[in-house]
Amino acid sequence: MISFPPRTQETSFIPLHVTMDGPLLCPYYAEFERDSQGNYIPDPEFGYKLTAESMENRRQWRARCFKGREPMDDLPSHFCVSARRPAHTLPRLLFGFPLRFDQAYEFAKRRKLKLLGENSDPDLRPSFAALKTIMDLDRRSGADLRYEIPRIEGYDFMISLYTNLTLEDDQLEKEEEKEVIEIIQRELQISDPPKWYWDATFIENS
């Protein structure tokens, strides 16, 4: 187990998150497990396996990150672009459906979509399946669907119809929007309605 200096009220200590590519700054206190030979245990998500305490630290850190960034059924007026609130002053929010990569694979299999083969980079296969899913649904619905990353636990990507920053130009008519939503729900075999999600890639949303 990696030893870190003791934490005190006088010292703000940010540990290093050790990965296969070298050390990275970690936003929570992290320690890593070793095997019986004293070697760090590889982990596909973190580089090396975190201890149970470190996983709990990570969970608490993520909970703080998500606090105040919960999905919304309706877009509050203060997040809409206006003369008083130009786009560059607002956070970026996304309207659509959050999904997991396994849902994209299931859809691609049902629709017999051609995906990357076994000889391809395994890191690229999930996002490629997601993009193929969105492209197919885009064609079926006639809407301009986009691949986005929402800030929400338990999902990998989302199918976005539009963002708050371009809503005035992109928003569909009510009946057309309803039809697109129903097509997406039917094709993906989901029942949850679309919501507004915080964009996880937009630095101003941090």
Side-chain angles (χ1 to χ4, degrees), residues 146 195 206:
R146 302 177 181 89
K195 293 185 178 183
S206 300

Side-chain angles (χ1 to χ4, degrees), residues 27-72:
Y28 51 89
Y29 191 84
E31 295 179 332
F32 302 87
E33 293 188 3
R34 294 178 184 263
D35 61 20
S36 57
Q37 281 75 45
N39 300 313
Y40 298 125
I41 303 172
D43 182 275
E45 184 173 1
F46 303 110
Y48 294 106
K49 185 177 180 181
L50 291 168
T51 63
E53 180 184 1
S54 298
M55 287 296 292
E56 175 60 19
N57 292 341
R58 179 179 183 272
R59 186 197 66 77
Q60 293 180 13
W61 168 72
R62 287 179 66 83
R64 290 193 297 271
C65 288
F66 288 120
K67 188 175 182 180
R69 299 292 187 268
E70 294 82 7
M72 296 171 284

Side-chain angles (χ1 to χ4, degrees), residues 104 107-108 113 128-138 159 188:
F107 175 81
L113 303 180
F128 185 85
L131 289 170
K132 291 287 285 188
T133 294
I134 293 175
M135 290 171 61
D136 190 82
L137 290 171
D138 189 289
I159 296 176
L188 292 174

